[in-house]
Amino acid sequence: IFTPQHFRILMKLLIAGSSVEDMIHTNGTVLNQPGGMFYVASAVDALREENDEIFMLTNLSQKQRHLYFPLYERFNSSLVNTVEQLPVNHLFIHEKGEREEKYEHLTEKIKFEPSALENLNLDGVLINLITGFDFTPTDIKRIKAITNAPVFLDIHSRTRSFSEEGKREFALIDDINEWSSTVDILQANENEILYCGSGNEEKSIVENILNLGVKFVLVTKGDAGVRMYFIRNGETNSLFVKALQVETVNKVGCGDVFGATFFINWLRTNDPVNALYAGNAAGAVISTYKSTKQIENLKKDVDSLLYEK
């Protein structure tokens, strides 16, 4: 999957979304750690080749800087904004079912100058809607128009509303056509996808998204696996890959790492099936990690897991 002959000599990638501070509530304990784009950045850093250049478009706060460095020092930070306070996300993890979320200090969307994206010669743009308010559809259209690069969008928290108390509940995205119109790959989990269009059937919701020009829709299904939808010969097709059997100790960041791994492999090989298997393995691998520092072993561990299977 990761053999050198498959790789481009140089890849330029933009990763964009909110850096947040996570407070993870599980089994009566609370763990404070970096969140949001930290998982995407960690995966990209682990999978990058020596000559790759990775640009970050995110916000950073000086008082929360210790959560993200030295990792973020390894990226091009010319597009990074400085803010006073990053969002704090309380994640309530349950043994079964979807996690609950409650935000503090939710910030405005991430600002950028479109002209700053000119002449970057990007091979791809990975956007993760960590808070759901990171960018607007207009922002994504501008990024696509200026860079003319494939855009990967993890719809993520755009599927959740925001109450005065900061609680996030699932809510229908009534402008999903706007979000999807300039995206090449869209990712959602099995709950999120049901809020990406009218009706309650996953397939019909996905078909609408594909008919807008999206090449692939990826629906992650937790410990069941992942399904990739695409159009072939005018018809909606899909490929399902079962989750690899591992001992799960972590349920945070798995979707983020899956998406980053899929996108990088697709950009390098132009092979969506190859990318799907690599992403599926990466999601399994990170679920076995007891600390975020272990993500630096992602590339080696994904290879080992794939070859073992």
Side-chain angles (χ1 to χ4, degrees), residues 282-294:
V285 164
I286 191 177
S287 74
T288 68
Y289 289 163
K290 295 180 180 180
S291 96
T292 56
K293 181 173 175 51
Q294 290 178 271

Side-chain angles (χ1 to χ4, degrees), residues 155 158-159 171-177 179 192 195-197:
I155 202 71
R158 188 61 198 171
T159 58
L172 181 68
I173 305 175
D174 54 13
D175 59 347
I176 189 63
N177 289 15
W179 287 102
E192 294 164 352
Y195 295 86
C196 291

Side-chain angles (χ1 to χ4, degrees), residues 185-205:
I185 303 170
L186 185 141
Q187 176 181 330
N189 71 28
E190 60 186 335
N191 294 315
E192 294 164 352
I193 196 66
L194 299 178
Y195 295 86
C196 291
S198 57
N200 55 11
E201 292 289 332
E202 178 178 300
K203 185 177 178 181
S204 63
I205 291 172

Side-chain angles (χ1 to χ4, degrees), residues 176-177 180 196-198 202-214 217 231 236:
I176 189 63
N177 289 15
S180 305
C196 291
S198 57
E202 178 178 300
K203 185 177 178 181
S204 63
I205 291 172
V206 168
E207 283 183 335
N208 174 65
I209 295 171
L210 289 171
N211 287 331
L212 293 168
V214 176
V217 175
I231 292 179
T236 299

Side-chain angles (χ1 to χ4, degrees), residues 38-283:
F38 178 84
Y39 291 99
V40 175
S42 295
V44 169
D45 187 57
L47 300 174
R48 71 194 299 179
E49 292 296 295
E50 183 179 357
N51 293 322
D52 292 344
E53 184 170 16
I54 315 299
F55 297 83
M56 289 199 74
L57 176 54
T58 191
N59 293 335
L60 282 179
S61 165
Q62 185 61 34
K63 65 181 178 181
Q64 290 154 297
R65 185 179 186 277
H66 64 283
L67 293 169
Y68 301 93
F69 286 79
L71 173 64
Y72 280 17
E73 289 177 344
R74 299 196 278 274
F75 301 98
N76 187 311
S77 61
S78 60
L79 302 173
V80 172
N81 302 303
T82 300
V83 296
E84 183 177 348
Q85 170 75 50
L86 293 179
V88 177
N89 187 15
H90 292 266
L91 300 170
F92 299 88
I93 308 298
H94 306 295
E95 189 68 29
K96 297 290 184 180
E98 186 72 31
R99 69 192 187 194
E100 297 176 66
E101 297 186 17
K102 184 176 180 180
Y103 266 82
E104 299 175 3
H105 311 293
L106 189 63
T107 54
E108 297 179 0
K109 73 185 187 75
I110 299 169
K111 298 177 181 179
F112 67 97
E113 289 292 335
S115 60
L117 301 177
E118 295 177 354
N119 303 316
L120 293 184
N121 298 316
L122 296 173
D123 293 298
V125 177
L126 189 159
I127 300 173
N128 194 316
L129 298 179
I130 300 293
T131 68
F133 303 100
D134 321 63
F135 301 100
T136 66
T138 299
D139 291 331
I140 296 176
K141 288 177 182 178
R142 286 175 179 166
I143 292 171
K144 177 71 172 180
I146 294 168
T147 65
N148 195 33
V151 174
F152 180 108
L153 177 66
D154 188 338
I155 202 71
H156 205 44
S157 293
R158 188 61 198 171
T159 58
R160 292 178 182 264
S161 63
F162 185 77
S163 70
E164 291 183 2
E165 297 79 25
K167 194 170 183 181
R168 311 299 302 270
E169 301 284 358
F170 281 114
L172 181 68
I173 305 175
D174 54 13
D175 59 347
I176 189 63
N177 289 15
E178 289 293 306
W179 287 102
S180 305
S181 60
T182 53
V183 168
D184 296 270
I185 303 170
L186 185 141
Q187 176 181 330
N189 71 28
E190 60 186 335
N191 294 315
E192 294 164 352
I193 196 66
L194 299 178
Y195 295 86
C196 291
S198 57
N200 55 11
E201 292 289 332
E202 178 178 300
K203 185 177 178 181
S204 63
I205 291 172
V206 168
E207 283 183 335
N208 174 65
I209 295 171
L210 289 171
N211 287 331
L212 293 168
V214 176
K215 293 182 177 70
F216 305 104
V217 175
L218 307 169
V219 181
T220 58
K221 298 177 179 291
D223 57 10
V226 58
R227 185 173 295 277
M228 176 174 68
Y229 291 91
F230 52 94
I231 292 179
R232 178 166 294 178
N233 298 326
E235 295 185 355
T236 299
N237 285 262
S238 70
L239 173 63
F240 179 75
V241 177
K242 289 183 179 180
L244 298 176
Q245 298 302 305
V246 295
E247 184 178 351
T248 299
V249 297
N250 166 61
K251 294 185 177 182
V252 179
C254 299
D256 302 326
V257 171
F258 162 83
T261 304
F262 177 96
F263 193 43
I264 285 179
N265 275 267
W266 180 71
L267 289 174
R268 294 205 193 278
T269 67
N270 197 32
D271 183 345
V273 176
N274 173 293
L276 186 66
Y277 276 93
N280 186 56

